Amino acid sequence: MTTELTYLALTLILALVQVFLPAGARTVEFGSKWNAGARDTTPAATRPLTGRLERAQVNLYETLPLFIGAVLIAHVIGAESPLTLWGTALYFWARVVYVPLYAFGVPYVRSLVWLVSLAGLVMVLASLFFLKA
């Protein structure tokens, strides 16, 4: 497995972790009875951490399909290069750092870290057009 595919797999694990973080926060806030129930009505989160974890999850899911597609296309067409290696690494590690920054409500730095992840994504996308003949 290439390093880029390894970063993709790690990003999918991160996405799974980000499913459980807000779910756990909601269970702490509303109780296991709510969690085990049908959840016909979901009360608004009153704890800032719960809302932040939910928003961090949504934020990852906005770019994750693009990242998955770009990494897989790069792999299939043989476009792996230092650009894809650095791009996948930047995307993954920035997304890892982004979660606690968002959870703890750190402004500005969180946005800069998001831009780093976006730069990583753009690097992988750019690699698709710089394939050596």
Side-chain angles (χ1 to χ4, degrees):
M1 183 158 67
T2 65
T3 304
E4 291 87 346
L5 289 177
T6 300
Y7 275 120
L8 176 55
L10 290 171
T11 303
L12 295 176
I13 292 168
L14 176 63
L16 187 60
V17 168
Q18 285 196 250
V19 166
F20 289 105
L21 288 174
R26 279 203 172 271
T27 300
V28 167
E29 189 168 349
F30 304 123
S32 58
K33 185 175 179 181
W34 171 83
N35 192 357
R39 299 185 210 163
D40 292 328
T41 58
T42 300
T46 58
R47 295 181 180 174
L49 179 63
T50 304
R52 289 175 185 161
L53 290 171
E54 288 172 345
R55 291 188 298 278
Q57 177 191 36
V58 168
N59 186 276
L60 172 65
Y61 288 2
E62 289 173 346
T63 59
L64 184 58
L66 302 172
F67 181 70
I68 293 168
V71 173
L72 291 179
I73 291 170
H75 180 71
V76 168
I77 67 172
E80 283 121 341
S81 67
L83 194 60
T84 58
L85 178 64
W86 281 99
T88 55
L90 283 173
Y91 182 86
F92 172 73
W93 289 111
R95 295 310 315 192
V96 167
V97 170
Y98 185 84
V99 175
L101 289 174
Y102 208 135
F104 293 118
V106 178
Y108 305 112
V109 175
R110 181 193 84 223
S111 296
L112 288 173
V113 169
W114 179 84
L115 285 172
V116 169
S117 76
L118 186 63
L121 174 57
V122 169
M123 289 168 71
V124 177
L125 287 169
S127 75
L128 304 179
F129 300 98
F130 296 114
L131 180 63
K132 295 178 184 173

